[in-house]
Amino acid sequence: MLHFADSLTFSGRKVVAAWAALPFPAFPGSSLPDILSAHQQDVPWKLLSSWREQKVSCCFAQSVVLRGICQEKATSCLGQPPSPLHSCESPEQVLQQYLHTLFPGAFSTSHVLQQPCHTQAPFPQFFSPLLTRRGFLADKAQGFSTAGVESIPVLAALQSCPGLHSLLSGLCRQLRAPDVRRWSSFFTAGVEQDDFQEALEELRTLAQCYETGFGADEDEADSD
C-alpha cells in the first residue's frame, strides 16, 4: 500500500485519502453510464479518511477500482446518446471519462473488474434490507435477512487532494497545543524535544504541499 500511495504523490506530497462505496449504488439492469450520469455534481462514494470536508471538487492524482459491474458494452441505445458517458464503448472508458469530467487535469487511473466482492460469512452482515442477494438496490425490502446478501459491487479510490491540507494542518495544531515539556513521561519514552519540534515542522511543510491558494490564508492563520 505504501508503494501504491507513492505512485499517486509528487511535489513533496506523501499522503492520500481513501474513499469507498460499499456497496456501489446500482439498480439491477442499470448501466454504468446511467448510474454515473445521476452523480454529475458529486461522486457516489464516501470519504473514509477523517477530516471535516466531505466533498472534494478537485484532486492532484487518483486511482479508482470498480468491481461487480458487468463488462458488456456500456450502452446499446439508438439515436443520440443521452450523455457523453453513453457514447463510451466499455465500462473502463465510462469510468475514465467520468473521472476526467469531475476532476479535469488530474492524473487518473481506473480499473473495472467483473467479479464482485463476495460477502458470505465471516464477512460482517451490516447491509440494508433494500439490497438484493447480489448487492443491488431494490425498490422495496427483500424477503430474506441481510445475511442473504452474497456479493456486492464495490468501488474504492485513493486520492491525493487539496483537502488533505486541512487534515494535516489541523493535526499539526493539535500537536502544538499542549506543552509537552510538562509531560516527563513523554520524553522518558525516548522522544527528544528537538526531534519533536523537527517532526512538527516537517508535518507543517507537508500540509503546505497540498495548498492550492483557496482558503490557504485562513488555514495558515489558524496554524499560527
Side-chain angles (χ1 to χ4, degrees):
M1 183 61 74
L2 177 62
H3 292 249
F4 186 56
D6 284 343
S7 67
L8 298 175
T9 54
F10 43 84
S11 301
R13 305 181 187 107
K14 301 179 181 179
V15 180
V16 293
W19 300 74
L22 189 90
F24 185 70
F27 289 93
S30 59
S31 68
L32 185 58
D34 291 336
I35 299 168
L36 295 180
S37 294
H39 296 275
Q40 293 288 350
Q41 302 301 320
D42 197 8
V43 294
W45 47 92
K46 302 298 182 181
L47 179 67
L48 301 181
S49 304
S50 57
W51 87 74
R52 291 173 297 175
E53 299 178 43
Q54 294 294 313
K55 182 178 180 180
V56 173
S57 57
C58 65
C59 72
F60 308 116
Q62 61 186 337
S63 179
V64 181
V65 177
L66 175 62
R67 297 181 55 178
I69 298 297
C70 183
Q71 297 220 43
E72 296 176 358
K73 186 174 179 179
T75 180
S76 58
C77 62
L78 300 176
Q80 185 69 22
S83 74
L85 294 179
H86 290 81
S87 301
C88 298
E89 293 293 324
S90 67
E92 291 87 349
Q93 292 181 7
V94 172
L95 183 57
Q96 191 70 17
Q97 176 66 31
Y98 178 75
L99 295 175
H100 281 311
T101 301
L102 258 65
F103 306 103
F107 169 75
S108 298
T109 64
S110 59
H111 302 277
V112 178
L113 308 177
Q114 186 171 3
Q115 185 179 22
C117 177
H118 295 289
T119 56
Q120 293 95 338
F123 197 95
Q125 297 299 316
F126 46 65
F127 302 110
S128 165
L130 294 175
L131 288 185
T132 67
R133 292 184 182 276
R134 299 184 61 186
F136 292 97
L137 299 174
D139 294 330
K140 60 181 180 180
Q142 303 298 294
F144 53 84
S145 68
T146 56
V149 178
E150 300 173 352
S151 65
I152 55 173
V154 176
L155 184 142
L158 291 179
Q159 280 188 343
S160 173
C161 54
L164 287 166
H165 172 262
S166 61
L167 173 66
L168 296 172
S169 59
L171 177 59
C172 188
R173 288 194 297 271
Q174 291 176 10
L175 291 173
R176 281 181 171 175
D179 186 0
V180 295
R181 291 173 297 183
R182 301 175 58 182
W183 301 352
S184 58
S185 60
F186 187 83
F187 295 104
T188 55
V191 179
E192 298 292 339
Q193 176 70 23
D194 291 342
D195 293 339
F196 179 73
Q197 294 300 326
E198 182 180 353
L200 282 179
E201 186 58 31
E202 291 177 353
L203 181 60
R204 183 174 183 271
T205 301
L206 178 61
Q208 291 175 341
C209 293
Y210 291 88
E211 289 182 348
T212 58
F214 300 101
D217 294 339
E218 180 180 352
D219 287 338
E220 188 68 22
D222 291 341
S223 64
D224 292 341

